[in-house]
């Protein structure tokens, strides 16, 4: 296989990309207006008709959609085709309120598979590779997306799903898997278990991994690459827009290329909704240009990032998004300071700790508290209280330098924090149970 899965699209001149996007957007807006009453009502409320949208320069005229809208329209309110035309659903892994259900026609599935095949190709995979898919299968989009992309590419696909790490490793070693796809926290855990079993990074046949579905830092990337002896690639997606493969990293690892023939990205000011120029940091908004069953127009992702069209060494012309810098809705305000879990993770990795941690926020006597529980490595674990106390103070100081507020750090025994085989639960904010608005 070459460097590209669909070179004619992935290297298309920017002017042609915009023409294609405009053509698709005009059709998509009419499709949504004619078939989705919920969105038609939003457009009518804003005084916008399909004929007002003549190309992507008019995209800003359309109303936004948020997760709250999808909950309100649950389960069929955003469906844009007859149910008989749908072949699959997926659902978000959210823990609050009604789950979001996304519908797919066969054409939607085929498009999604192609996007994931592009991601795999960009990571160096081809039809002679063995791709181990250790994302969860079922309602979660991770397993199905990379499984479909691997099939489309013609790779031998191991649909392992998440969990049963001993079996993951047995198949990985016996069948000589060359590419692994899972969450970054699970990849780090597989690396830990391999080391415990006495394997060195060079003992496996992996060359690349595609990791997404949760936030991870550059420090964590290096940690995974060292543990598994691979090149670790980022992938981005969300159930509402299709799943993984909306954007993907190439070998330059300088951001993720957005599949612009299928999706239009905007960056907005999360407070005002104003569209920001390229290069400015803000909230990422996506419009799906050719989804039939569940076509999102201007969907607010809540992810904070930057877009850039700087020329990429890989030759792709698709705009790039940086790794999300946090979410506008998972940012914690603690003692008046904006805190993202990724900031704490970066400190832990820089200080030599494994990325197995949990953040607990509470409010005691009208004051916010921040506790960070961090697993020690076997080699660092000490039964001397004095040693542990010193290390906790040092780590607390390093986190304070990053955040500006001082946490209470608890160093805990190896393996004492529950491992995640899906998305890692990093934050427990107990203030929410008190009904405190954060």
């Amino acid at each position: 296989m070459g460097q590209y899965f669909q070179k004619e699209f992935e290297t298309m001149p920017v002017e042609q990309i915009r023409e294609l996007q405009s053509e698709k957007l005009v059709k998509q807006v009419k499709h949504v207006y004619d078939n989705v009453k919920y969105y038609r009502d939003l457009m009518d409320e804003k005084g916008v008709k399909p004929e007002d949208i003549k190309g992507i320069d008019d995209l800003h005229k359309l109303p936004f959609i948020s997760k709250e809208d999808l909950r309100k329209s649950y389960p069929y309110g955003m469906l844009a085709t007859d149910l008989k035309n749908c072949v699959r659903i997926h659902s978000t892994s959210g823990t609050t309120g009604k789950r979001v259900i996304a519908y797919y026609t066969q054409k939607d599935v085929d498009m999604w598979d192609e996007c994931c095949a592009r991601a795999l190709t960009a990571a160096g995979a081809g039809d002679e590779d063995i791709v181990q898919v250790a994302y969860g299968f079922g309602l979660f989009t991770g397993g199905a997306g990379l499984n479909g992309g691997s099939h489309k590419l013609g790779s031998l696909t191991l649909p392992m799903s998440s969990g049963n790490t001993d079996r993951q490793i047995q198949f990985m070693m016996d069948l000589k898997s060359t590419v692994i796809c899972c969450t970054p926290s699970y990849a780090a855990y597989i690396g830990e278990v391999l080391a415990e079993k006495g394997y060195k990074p060079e003992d496996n046949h992996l060359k690349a991994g595609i990791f997404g579905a949760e936030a991870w830092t550059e420090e964590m990337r290096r940690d995974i690459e060292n543990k598994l002896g691979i090149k670790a690639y980022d992938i981005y997606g969300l159930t509402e827009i299709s799943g993984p493969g909306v954007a993907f990293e190439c070998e330059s690892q300088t951001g993720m290329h957005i599949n612009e023939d299928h999706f239009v990205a905007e960056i907005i000011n999360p407070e005002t909704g104003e569209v920001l120029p390229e290069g400015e940091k803000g909230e990422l908004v996506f419009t799906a240009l050719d989804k039939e069953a569940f076509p999102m127009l201007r969907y607010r992702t809540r992810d904070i990032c930057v877009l850039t069209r700087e020329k990429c060494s890989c030759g792709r012309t698709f705009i790039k998004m940086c790794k999300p810098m946090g979410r506008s809705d998972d940012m914690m305000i603690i003692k008046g300071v904006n805190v993202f879990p990724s900031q704490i993770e970066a400190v832990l990795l820089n200080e030599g700790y494994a990325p197995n941690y949990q953040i607990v926020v509470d409010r005691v006597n009208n004051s916010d508290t921040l506790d960070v529980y961090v697993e020690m490595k076997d080699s660092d674990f000490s039964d001397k209280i004095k040693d542990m106390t010193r290390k906790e103070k040092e780590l607390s100081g390093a986190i304070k330098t990053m955040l500006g507020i001082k946490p209470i750090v608890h160093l805990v025994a190896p393996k004492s924090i529950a491992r995640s085989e899906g998305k890692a639960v990093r934050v427990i904010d107990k203030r929410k149970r008190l009904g405190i608005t954060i």
Side-chain angles (χ1 to χ4, degrees), residues 33 40 43-50 52-53 61-63:
Y33 191 85
R40 179 166 66 247
M43 284 180 65
D44 288 347
E45 200 177 300
K46 206 174 178 194
V48 187
K49 296 290 181 196
D52 297 329
I53 308 301
K61 296 176 182 177
L62 293 168

Side-chain angles (χ1 to χ4, degrees), residues 118-342:
R118 290 177 185 179
L120 283 158
T121 305
D127 56 8
E128 294 184 3
D129 279 284
I130 298 171
V131 177
Q132 185 157 335
V133 182
Y135 283 111
F137 280 72
L139 290 173
F140 177 54
T141 54
L146 272 302
N147 190 73
S150 181
H151 282 192
K152 192 72 82 172
L153 196 54
S155 307
L156 176 62
T157 310
L158 310 185
M160 298 294 295
S161 194
S162 58
N164 200 333
T165 306
D166 285 343
R167 186 178 62 188
Q168 296 277 2
I169 288 171
Q170 182 191 341
F171 272 75
M172 181 191 299
M173 303 305 288
D174 292 351
L175 296 180
K176 300 181 172 64
S177 302
T178 55
V179 179
I180 186 164
C181 308
C182 61
T183 61
S185 56
Y186 193 44
Y189 180 53
I190 289 173
E192 276 179 35
V193 177
L194 278 167
E196 284 170 8
K197 289 178 180 290
Y199 291 112
K200 297 184 179 68
E202 59 270 23
D203 293 338
N204 69 62
H205 291 79
L206 294 173
K207 63 181 182 181
I210 295 181
F211 308 122
E214 63 188 27
W216 56 307
T217 57
E218 288 302 316
E219 290 83 5
M220 191 167 182
R221 187 206 297 268
R222 288 193 290 274
D223 181 59
I224 292 169
E225 289 183 335
N226 292 335
K227 279 178 176 170
L228 295 176
I230 61 171
K231 194 163 180 179
Y233 294 84
D234 209 346
I235 191 168
Y236 178 88
L238 54 169
T239 303
E240 296 87 340
I241 302 301
S242 67
V246 172
F248 60 90
E249 258 185 339
C250 63
E251 69 267 17
S252 76
Q253 294 179 308
T254 54
M256 290 172 277
H257 291 281
I258 293 167
N259 283 305
E260 286 192 281
D261 51 333
H262 299 302
F263 311 104
V264 180
E266 302 170 274
I267 293 289
I268 64 165
N269 179 322
E271 303 297 324
T272 65
E274 172 202 1
V275 179
L276 300 176
E278 180 193 316
E280 289 211 18
K281 183 168 80 169
E283 181 184 336
L284 184 60
V285 172
F286 271 115
T287 293
L289 291 169
D290 38 19
K291 283 179 67 187
E292 294 179 325
F294 198 65
M296 295 287 98
L297 298 180
R298 301 198 85 199
Y299 181 73
R300 295 186 60 161
T301 67
R302 305 296 178 186
D303 285 323
I304 303 296
C305 74
V306 174
L307 298 179
T308 176
R309 211 177 273 283
E310 280 180 23
K311 194 170 181 181
C312 186
S313 59
C314 76
R316 288 178 181 81
T317 50
F318 289 159
I319 200 166
K320 283 195 288 195
M321 59 178 278
C322 73
K323 189 184 277 292
M325 301 166 179
R327 290 173 56 81
S328 61
D329 61 352
D330 83 350
M331 180 186 77
M332 300 171 287
I333 300 176
I334 304 171
K335 295 183 177 177
V337 176
N338 295 350
V339 175
F340 289 102
S342 56

Side-chain angles (χ1 to χ4, degrees), residues 10-196:
E10 295 176 61
T11 61
M12 185 182 278
V14 174
E15 305 74 41
Q16 285 184 33
I17 291 173
R18 289 180 63 84
E19 283 171 20
L20 179 62
Q21 288 179 331
S22 291
E23 186 185 315
K24 286 186 172 186
L25 180 65
V26 170
K27 289 180 185 168
Q28 188 71 309
V29 170
K30 187 172 186 333
H31 171 58
V32 173
Y33 191 85
D34 290 347
N35 294 289
V36 182
K37 182 183 182 301
Y38 190 96
Y39 198 78
R40 179 166 66 247
D41 289 346
L42 289 179
M43 284 180 65
D44 288 347
E45 200 177 300
K46 206 174 178 194
V48 187
K49 296 290 181 196
E51 51 269 27
D52 297 329
I53 308 301
K54 297 178 170 59
I56 58 165
D57 287 338
D58 296 319
L59 186 60
H60 69 278
K61 296 176 182 177
L62 293 168
F64 294 113
I65 281 282
S66 69
K67 188 161 275 190
E68 187 54 35
D69 291 303
L70 302 186
R71 288 187 181 125
K72 283 180 187 170
S73 58
Y74 173 93
Y76 295 123
M78 295 298 287
L79 185 61
T81 187
D82 288 344
L83 201 57
K84 68 176 183 182
N85 297 328
C86 298
V87 297
R88 192 192 296 174
I89 70 157
H90 283 285
S91 179
T92 57
S93 55
T95 54
T96 58
K98 289 176 179 171
R99 296 173 72 101
V100 171
I101 294 177
Y103 299 86
Y104 300 73
T105 64
Q106 188 57 52
K107 185 181 167 192
D108 294 337
V109 172
D110 291 341
M111 179 270 286
W112 181 23
D113 288 349
E114 285 176 359
C115 287
C116 288
R118 290 177 185 179
L120 283 158
T121 305
D127 56 8
E128 294 184 3
D129 279 284
I130 298 171
V131 177
Q132 185 157 335
V133 182
Y135 283 111
F137 280 72
L139 290 173
F140 177 54
T141 54
L146 272 302
N147 190 73
S150 181
H151 282 192
K152 192 72 82 172
L153 196 54
S155 307
L156 176 62
T157 310
L158 310 185
M160 298 294 295
S161 194
S162 58
N164 200 333
T165 306
D166 285 343
R167 186 178 62 188
Q168 296 277 2
I169 288 171
Q170 182 191 341
F171 272 75
M172 181 191 299
M173 303 305 288
D174 292 351
L175 296 180
K176 300 181 172 64
S177 302
T178 55
V179 179
I180 186 164
C181 308
C182 61
T183 61
S185 56
Y186 193 44
Y189 180 53
I190 289 173
E192 276 179 35
V193 177
L194 278 167
E196 284 170 8

